[in-house]
C-alpha cells in the first residue's frame, strides 16, 4: 500500500482511510414463499459507485439487494433481500465517513408475509395490506451522534425531477441528492447510461448523459473533494 | 436434416414434425413505472424442457418471462413480461401438438397500473387493488376446437404437493400435471435440481431428485412416447 502510494504519487488515493457505505439494487419484499414485490433497479449505478470509491482508496462496504451485478474489486459486499435487512446491514457497517443510498428500497412491504403459498379461491382475491418500510436514508441523516459527515441519497423520478429531488433532500435531511429521470423512454433503469442532477445544500448541477461508470467516477471525485 | 436422421438412426428425433409451446419463467406485473409484483421462478426448468424437446426434433416455441437464462439451441424464443402478454404470445403460437405451461404466472395483477411513480404521502398507503390474471393453462385445456393433444401444467406447491396437484389437474382440465415442492428448505426454486411428481389421468409417479436437465429429458421422452 505504501508502494501503491509511491507509484500513484499519493493523491491518487484521496479517500484512503475513509470508510464509505453504499447501498445498491432493488429490495424484494415477500408476499408469500414464492411471490414478492420488486422494482426495476439493476444495481448497476450503485455497484459502479462502490467500485469508483474503492479505486480512490476508500474502505467500501456495499450493501446489495438481489442483482446479477458482479462485486467490484476491493469492495466488501453484504447481500440482503428486504428493506429491513438492508437497514440492519447498514447499521452494522456504521460508523462511516459517507453513506450513499443508491438502492431503490421498496417504500412498502406486505404487512404479514403468508407462510404458505396463497391459493386462488372462489372467495376472491387475497388482501394485501401494505405497511411502510423503514426509511434508511432519513434514519442515517437524522442521527444525533456518529452521523456520517456526508449522507447522499438518490432520487429516481418520472416527472419534475429536480423539484421532486430538492423536496426529497429537505424531507430526508441528507446532504446531497443525486436525481435521475427513470421514466420508460429514457432507458436509464436497467440501462448502461445515466443522466443525473447533483443537488447539494446550495447548488444544482445537471451532468451530461454518460455511462454509469463515468457518472460514478465523477461522483467519487466530488465526494473526495468534499471530504478532502 | 435427412443426413441428421441417417446418422441418428431416425428414432433419435421422435418429435420431428411436432410443434410444442413451452412457457417458462416468472411474470412481472407492473404496479407503477418502477415497481412490480414478481415471483421466484428462475425459468431454468422450463428452458431445460424446451431444449430437451428441441433435441428430440420438436419445433419448439418458448414463451419466456423475465429471466437470465440463455435460449437453448434450436428453440424459438418469445420474450414477455406480464401474464396477459404471455397468454397472447401462446395464442399466437397455436396450433400445437403440446403446450407445457411451466411458467410461474402471477395469479393476480394490479387493477390499474399507475402512470407515474407512486409517492409516499402523509395520507398513508397506496391502495393496491388486485384482479385475477387470465388462466393460460385452463384456457388452453378447455379449447373446443384445435385443443392441443397433450396439455401439461406445472404445480409449484409448498404443502400437500400431490393432493394439491391432482386437484389442480381436475380444476384446470389439463392432461398432466408436473408437481414439485418449492418450499424454502428444498432449494428447488432458483436451484439446479428438482424433485417432481408426474400426475396423469390414471397414474402418479414420484421421480427421483435430479438435475433440472435430467428431469427435462425424462419429461421430453414421456411426451414423445405419448404423442408417438
Amino acid at each position: 500500500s505504501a508502494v501503491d502510494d509511491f507509484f500513484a504519487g499519493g493523491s491518487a488515493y484521496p479517500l484512503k482511510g475513509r470508510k464509505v457505505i453504499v447501498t445498491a439494487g432493488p429490495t424484494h419484499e415477500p408476499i408469500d414463499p414464492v411471490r414478492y414485490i420488486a422494482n426495476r433497479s439493476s444495481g448497476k449505478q450503485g455497484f459502479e459507485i462502490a467500485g469508483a470509491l474503492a479505486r480512490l482508496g476508500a474502505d467500501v462496504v456495499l450493501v446489495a439487494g438481489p442483482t446479477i451485478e458482479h462485486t467490484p474489486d476491493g469492495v466488501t459486499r453484504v447481500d440482503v433481500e428486504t428493506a429491513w435487512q438492508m437497514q440492519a446491514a447498514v447499521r452494522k457497517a456504521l460508523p462511516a465517513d459517507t453513506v450513499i443510498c443508491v438502492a431503490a428500497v421498496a417504500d412498502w412491504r406486505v404487512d404479514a408475509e403468508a407462510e404458505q403459498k396463497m391459493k386462488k379461491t372462489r372467495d376472491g382475491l387475497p388482501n394485501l395490506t401494505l405497511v411502510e418500510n423503514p426509511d434508511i436514508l432519513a434514519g442515517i441523516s437524522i442521527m444525533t451522534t456518529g452521523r456520517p459527515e456526508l449522507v447522499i441519497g438518490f432520487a429516481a423520478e418520472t416527472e419534475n425531477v429536480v423539484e421532486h429531488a430538492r423536496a426529497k433532500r429537505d424531507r430526508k435531511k441528507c446532504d446531497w441528492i443525486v436525481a435521475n429521470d427513470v421514466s420508460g423512454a429514457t432507458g436509464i433503469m436497467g440501462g448502461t447510461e445515466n443522466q443525473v442532477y447533483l443537488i447539494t445544500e446550495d447548488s444544482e448541477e445537471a451532468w451530461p448523459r454518460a455511462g454509469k461508470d463515468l457518472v460514478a467516477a465523477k461522483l467519487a471525485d466530488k465526494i473526495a473533494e468534499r471530504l478532502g
Side-chain angles (χ1 to χ4, degrees), chain A:
Chain A
S1 173
V3 174
D4 282 350
D5 281 353
F6 175 82
F7 282 108
S11 65
Y13 299 113
L15 289 173
K16 201 172 154 63
R18 297 294 197 162
K19 166 95 171 274
V20 182
I21 302 169
V22 180
T23 71
T27 65
H28 287 180
E29 307 295 330
I31 298 172
D32 68 15
V34 299
R35 301 180 180 91
Y36 58 92
I37 297 178
N39 64 63
R40 295 184 197 284
S41 169
S42 65
K44 184 178 282 296
Q45 184 65 79
F47 275 59
E48 292 285 3
I49 290 168
L53 290 162
R55 283 191 292 278
L56 295 189
D59 171 16
V60 182
V61 175
L62 172 61
V63 180
T67 161
I68 58 170
E69 294 292 317
H70 297 288
T71 311
D73 283 348
V75 166
T76 302
R77 175 172 176 172
V78 180
D79 285 314
V80 297
E81 188 182 1
T82 67
W84 270 109
Q85 290 165 0
M86 186 170 277
Q87 184 181 56
V90 169
R91 285 187 176 166
K92 196 171 167 200
L94 286 171
D97 297 289
T98 298
V99 175
I100 311 167
C101 295
V102 193
V105 179
D107 290 326
W108 304 286
R109 69 181 184 281
V110 177
D111 186 17
E113 181 189 351
E115 281 180 33
Q116 300 298 339
K117 186 181 173 191
M118 297 188 308
K119 316 291 284 183
K120 280 194 211 183
T121 65
R122 283 177 199 281
D123 297 339
L125 299 162
N127 190 16
L128 285 195
T129 305
L130 298 178
V131 294
E132 224 170 297
N133 264 328
D135 190 323
I136 300 172
L137 174 62
I140 296 162
S141 299
I142 63 174
M143 285 171 70
T144 49
T145 54
R147 182 189 188 279
E149 183 176 341
L150 180 62
V151 180
I152 305 175
F154 266 64
E157 304 290 348
T158 58
E159 51 179 355
N160 304 326
V161 176
V162 172
E163 298 93 302
H164 276 155
R166 185 159 285 290
K168 181 171 181 173
R169 185 189 162 276
D170 294 342
R171 209 165 56 240
K172 305 284 187 179
K173 317 291 187 205
C174 60
D175 302 298
W176 295 355
I177 287 274
V178 179
N180 53 13
D181 183 348
V182 297
S183 56
T186 64
I188 283 173
M189 208 123 185
T192 56
E193 293 197 326
N194 210 347
Q195 199 270 305
V196 307
Y197 302 83
L198 176 64
I199 288 153
T200 71
E201 299 84 342
D202 49 17
S203 72
E204 284 169 18
E205 298 176 9
W207 293 4
R209 185 166 175 135
K212 288 181 176 176
D213 52 345
L214 291 181
V215 170
K218 187 167 167 69
L219 183 64
D221 284 341
K222 284 269 178 188
I223 291 168
E225 258 177 55
R226 166 66 170 262
L227 296 182

